[in-house]
Amino acid sequence: MFALAYLLQPGSIANARPGNFWDAFFFSIQTMATIGYGVMNPQTDYANVLVAIESWVGLLGVAMGTGIAFARFSRPTARVVFSRVAVVTAYDEIPTLMFRVANKRRNQIIEAQIRVVLVRDEMNAEGQFMRRLYDLPLVRANNPIFILSWTVMHPIDEYSPFYGATLADLEAAETMLVVTLTGIDETVSQMIHARHTYIASEMLWHHRFADILFQKSDGQRYIDYNHFHEVMPVSSQREETNGVVSRSP
């Protein structure tokens, strides 16, 4: 664009071939990039005005490009992995909804906060259809230093929206769990966030997660992430006798 503007006035660029677009184009590049080899230079008031405008545009473009690149590449990414399924099993003799979260980064996530919302279809007292959201209370909703793994647990008691529900009920209501995790990346001190959803078919009753915490011969403990997503059935469940979950799916 600026090269065409220079060509509007013949002879505005010294040492440039008359009417040659490429000379004007390369002079424009040297001006915008503040290179200035000294071979070509403006020699009219018109050309000097264009140089001033193009220099300002070039500086503005560099500043904006630098800011956008810095904001893009300096933003931390939350390398958080969620278990593929959630399970419902007894914990302290109370049926409990559980799923796993792991931090795949080698640093820590400080002041990690997790929130679980149950979303399902309902009919209100007036017979109107609505998509309703319930915040699920958790055994622990925050973690001051999230380093490796975190098992999130929601007790299914009489105050839980899962109370008395079956898998058929959850599927009929198109139930979904929406999980959001936020925290501060310790390396760059910036907020990070991650999100995951579980549909009804991804909530397994009468299953528990496989153990991932092991101990070496020297007594040192370690976590084996190869078993992170593994679940296994549980033969007996106290929640069946307690009547919290009315029947197995």
Side-chain angles (χ1 to χ4, degrees):
M1 182 185 68
F2 281 100
L4 293 175
Y6 288 120
L7 292 178
L8 292 178
Q9 185 183 67
S12 60
I13 303 175
N15 301 321
R17 289 170 290 183
N20 188 282
F21 171 79
W22 292 111
D23 283 359
F25 177 76
F26 291 125
F27 172 74
S28 178
I29 291 179
Q30 295 172 25
T31 301
M32 181 167 288
T34 66
I35 297 174
Y37 290 116
V39 176
M40 294 182 289
N41 59 276
Q43 61 179 0
T44 65
D45 292 339
Y46 173 79
N48 280 307
V49 170
L50 283 180
V51 166
I53 295 174
E54 187 171 9
S55 298
W56 180 80
V57 172
L59 291 174
L60 184 63
V62 170
M64 291 180 61
T66 303
I68 293 174
F70 178 79
R72 173 64 182 86
F73 292 104
S74 65
R75 183 177 59 187
T77 56
R79 296 185 59 192
V80 175
V81 58
F82 295 84
S83 58
R84 297 190 185 100
V85 297
V87 300
V88 177
T89 187
Y91 182 80
D92 286 341
E93 300 185 352
I94 298 176
T96 304
L97 173 73
M98 304 181 187
F99 60 89
R100 282 174 172 167
V101 186
N103 180 17
K104 294 181 65 177
R105 300 174 68 94
R106 293 186 179 272
N107 61 354
Q108 301 175 2
I109 299 177
I110 303 174
E111 296 298 333
Q113 305 282 335
I114 199 162
R115 182 185 180 190
V116 183
V117 177
L118 172 69
V119 185
R120 68 184 182 190
D121 297 339
E122 287 188 2
M123 300 290 290
N124 63 10
E126 290 74 27
Q128 296 176 338
F129 170 81
M130 61 186 305
R131 189 75 169 159
R132 197 155 190 177
L133 284 72
Y134 295 91
D135 288 312
L136 300 185
L138 305 176
V139 174
R140 174 170 290 277
N142 56 77
N143 194 334
I145 301 178
F146 180 26
I147 303 176
L148 298 174
S149 178
W150 184 1
T151 300
V152 182
M153 297 184 291
H154 162 67
I156 302 179
D157 53 19
E158 61 271 19
Y159 302 104
S160 171
F162 281 101
Y163 185 79
T166 66
L167 179 58
D169 298 332
L170 299 179
E171 291 180 341
E174 297 186 6
T175 304
M176 179 174 60
L177 289 180
V178 179
V179 183
T180 56
L181 184 145
T182 59
I184 301 174
D185 187 285
E186 69 161 353
T187 303
V188 294
S189 298
Q190 291 191 22
M191 184 69 69
I192 60 175
H193 57 87
R195 183 176 64 88
H196 191 76
T197 58
Y198 294 99
I199 60 176
S201 61
E202 295 172 335
M203 306 174 201
L204 305 181
W205 257 250
H206 313 322
H207 284 70
R208 71 175 182 86
F209 284 110
D211 294 332
I212 59 174
L213 184 62
F214 299 94
Q215 189 173 13
K216 297 181 180 179
S217 57
D218 59 0
Q220 184 179 3
R221 296 185 180 274
Y222 68 97
I223 291 180
D224 185 356
Y225 285 106
N226 293 322
H227 305 283
F228 182 79
H229 299 285
E230 292 182 7
V231 296
M232 56 186 62
V234 179
S235 57
S236 62
Q237 293 287 329
R238 288 296 299 273
E239 58 264 35
E240 290 181 350
T241 60
N242 291 341
V244 177
V245 179
S246 58
R247 61 184 183 275
S248 61

